Amino acid sequence: MQPIGFQPISNPVFVNLNFLRQIRMYRLYFLLFMLPLAWPAYAQKTSVRKSQELRIPMTAGKWTYAPGQVDFIAGKEAGVMKILKGPKSIVLNDVVFSNGTIEYDVELTGPGFPGINFRMDADQQNGENFYLRSFGKVTPDVRTTVQYAPIVKGMSMWDLTDEYQTGASIAEAGWNHVKLVISGRQMKAYVNDMSKPVLVVPELESPETGGSISLSGSVNYANLVIKPDVTEGLNPEPGYNIVAHDTRYLRNWLVSAPAVLPFGKEPVIGLQSTYGKTDPAELPDSSTRWSPIKAESRGIVNLSRQYAHKPGEVRLLAWLKTSIQSNKAQERLLSLGFSDEVWVFVNGQFLYADKNYFGTPQQKYPAGRCTIENASIRLPLKEGNNEILIGLANYFYGWGIVARLDDTVGIQIMK
């Protein structure tokens, strides 16, 4: 029996030709079927290749800026941006950046903090900030030359990020070359020496994962090149955190809502002669409402994420409390970093007060930043539960504390 539609052909040459025609037809059908499936991948790949390098012209049409803020002049390959005055950033139009490489040249023309913001949200309130600190001649031994800080709710967290600064060789005259490699939560920064990063940030701390790019500082910029998704193999996951497993840090707290605390008024009884007028009503009582707050990856308890306000706008006071269980009466050493003012109580007894304002005689080492090196306090602990209460006031930039005990033998910290 022969299949339906089968027509025998006696000439084998005709059989071979017919077979070849069928093969060609099947190939054509296959190509027509697969083309719609293959096209998106091909188109996407082509798009990625085309977007691997964006050379940004320094011309007025590419940027948003305030009147009289910028001059665009001839020079370099794509022109030079000459920033005449600040402090607002000059925003790059029509580019959204998430991951990749950013390179640019910067010529220092005066003192300041020239830098680049990236992953900025639409309101320019959250993002990442990398900058040089330019105040005259520096050497690689000057630790404050290169800095990174997240921007949270419109405020730079520079005084809560002491770990993210380092020295570098910077040319006072002429051009400096900067290269940033950003991948997920990590960043490597190169300044002039492209053979090794001068600064590695293991965990970028802004809440944003993508956004606009902007430039700032009264300097000249040129040769801005953006390479989307070129990350040189940098792991997008957060890098190694040296304090993550250190059980001595006090990481879990309760925090009160902030209240305005005018200068000249202090919340602690009995300190009038040193700190001015006091008001016992400022101390927490049974009506105080508490919310949990946890330390971030570096051990910083960052109130700015919840209660950010503009620097110099108003002096705010909030209270933090935690508990320590001790198996006996003992004394422990508490290393405490704070920004900007603290009042410390143990079991209801006042123990310590201090201020840490950058640029004032009251600033703590290092230079008014909040670090574990700001202060050491001896904590008298009783057997059983001990309440640690800290009043924390802020007026100037980042608002937070970092607290670590010298030892935790015989101690349980609030989880």
Side-chain angles (χ1 to χ4, degrees):
M1 174 179 270
Q2 295 173 344
I4 296 174
F6 179 82
Q7 298 294 329
I9 300 176
S10 58
N11 192 332
V13 174
F14 292 155
V15 173
N16 291 337
L17 290 174
N18 187 51
F19 177 75
L20 291 175
R21 291 191 189 101
Q22 291 179 7
I23 290 295
R24 291 192 187 100
M25 185 175 295
Y26 292 150
R27 285 178 176 173
L28 178 61
Y29 289 158
F30 180 79
L31 289 173
L32 291 174
F33 174 76
M34 292 300 296
L35 184 59
L37 301 179
W39 175 253
Y42 173 81
Q44 182 180 9
K45 188 175 181 180
T46 302
S47 176
V48 169
R49 279 201 299 263
K50 288 182 177 178
S51 68
Q52 285 302 300
E53 184 169 293
L54 305 174
R55 292 187 173 272
I56 308 300
M58 294 304 186
T59 55
K62 288 296 295 182
W63 302 85
T64 296
Y65 53 93
Q69 188 181 11
V70 183
D71 270 348
F72 295 97
I73 59 179
K76 294 288 187 176
E77 295 180 11
V80 174
M81 175 193 292
K82 182 180 181 64
I83 303 180
L84 304 176
K85 60 181 181 179
K88 289 187 177 180
S89 297
I90 295 89
V91 181
L92 177 62
N93 297 331
D94 305 323
V95 173
V96 176
F97 178 85
S98 294
N99 300 292
T101 300
I102 303 172
E103 295 192 58
Y104 60 92
D105 292 334
V106 57
E107 184 180 34
L108 307 176
T109 59
F113 304 91
I116 185 168
N117 298 334
F118 58 92
R119 291 181 177 172
M120 296 298 293
D121 65 11
D123 297 324
Q124 300 291 298
Q125 294 296 297
N126 296 283
E128 314 288 6
N129 179 217
F130 172 86
Y131 56 99
L132 307 179
R133 192 176 186 275
S134 172
F135 289 88
K137 184 176 179 58
V138 297
T139 70
D141 298 324
V142 179
R143 180 172 173 257
T144 58
T145 304
V146 174
Q147 301 186 1
Y148 153 77
I151 300 173
V152 176
K153 296 184 177 178
M155 184 160 58
S156 170
M157 299 288 103
W158 68 270
D159 55 343
L160 302 185
T161 53
D162 181 72
E163 296 93 330
Y164 299 147
Q165 60 177 337
T166 188
S169 296
I170 303 294
E172 286 185 88
W175 291 91
N176 296 276
H177 188 67
V178 175
K179 172 183 169 182
L180 306 179
V181 180
I182 299 113
S183 177
R185 302 317 304 168
Q186 295 200 54
M187 178 177 76
K188 294 191 299 184
Y190 301 77
V191 178
N192 290 326
D193 182 357
M194 298 295 111
S195 67
K196 61 181 179 180
V198 69
L199 178 67
V200 176
V201 178
E203 185 171 3
L204 296 167
E205 296 187 2
S206 162
E208 301 300 317
T209 57
S212 65
I213 289 174
S214 60
L215 300 174
S216 62
S218 297
V219 294
N220 298 333
Y221 288 102
N223 293 340
L224 176 60
V225 178
I226 302 168
K227 301 175 184 177
D229 300 320
V230 177
T231 59
E232 301 182 355
L234 182 61
N235 192 332
E237 297 300 319
Y240 179 70
N241 180 358
I242 196 170
V243 305
H245 308 295
D246 193 332
T247 61
R248 298 173 298 165
Y249 280 82
L250 305 182
R251 303 178 187 274
N252 296 282
W253 297 77
L254 298 173
V255 62
S256 71
V260 174
L261 182 66
F263 278 103
K265 185 178 181 182
E266 309 297 325
V268 181
I269 300 173
L271 299 181
Q272 292 91 335
S273 60
T274 304
Y275 292 96
K277 181 181 177 182
T278 63
D279 184 354
E282 299 287 353
L283 297 174
D285 56 26
S286 59
S287 66
T288 301
R289 299 182 65 178
W290 301 93
S291 302
I293 186 170
K294 290 181 176 292
E296 299 181 0
S297 60
R298 295 176 295 110
I300 295 282
V301 182
N302 188 351
L303 274 65
S304 295
R305 290 201 190 272
Q306 295 182 223
Y307 307 125
H309 60 100
K310 293 181 180 179
E313 182 179 55
V314 66
R315 182 182 181 224
L316 292 181
L317 171 70
W319 291 92
L320 291 159
K321 70 175 181 178
T322 190
S323 63
I324 298 175
Q325 291 281 339
S326 179
N327 63 358
K328 63 180 180 180
Q330 59 177 308
E331 186 178 80
R332 293 265 59 91
L333 189 66
L334 176 70
S335 295
L336 181 66
F338 56 94
S339 181
D340 300 304
E341 304 173 67
V342 290
W343 298 265
V344 181
F345 295 77
V346 178
N347 298 322
Q349 299 298 310
F350 171 72
L351 186 65
Y352 178 85
D354 214 339
K355 301 180 187 290
N356 186 23
Y357 281 104
F358 170 78
T360 73
Q362 297 162 321
Q363 76 175 16
K364 301 299 177 187
Y365 177 84
R369 288 172 175 255
C370 172
T371 79
I372 207 71
E373 302 166 275
N374 290 161
S376 295
I377 307 166
R378 295 197 173 276
L379 291 183
L381 302 177
K382 65 182 182 180
E383 183 179 353
N385 185 65
N386 297 266
E387 182 185 80
I388 312 299
L389 178 69
I390 296 179
L392 183 65
N394 176 261
Y395 179 75
F396 189 72
Y397 286 93
W399 188 8
I401 66 166
V402 55
R404 187 187 68 196
L405 297 174
D406 61 335
D407 200 355
T408 51
V409 175
I411 284 176
Q412 290 184 340
I413 297 171
M414 187 174 83
K415 304 297 185 183

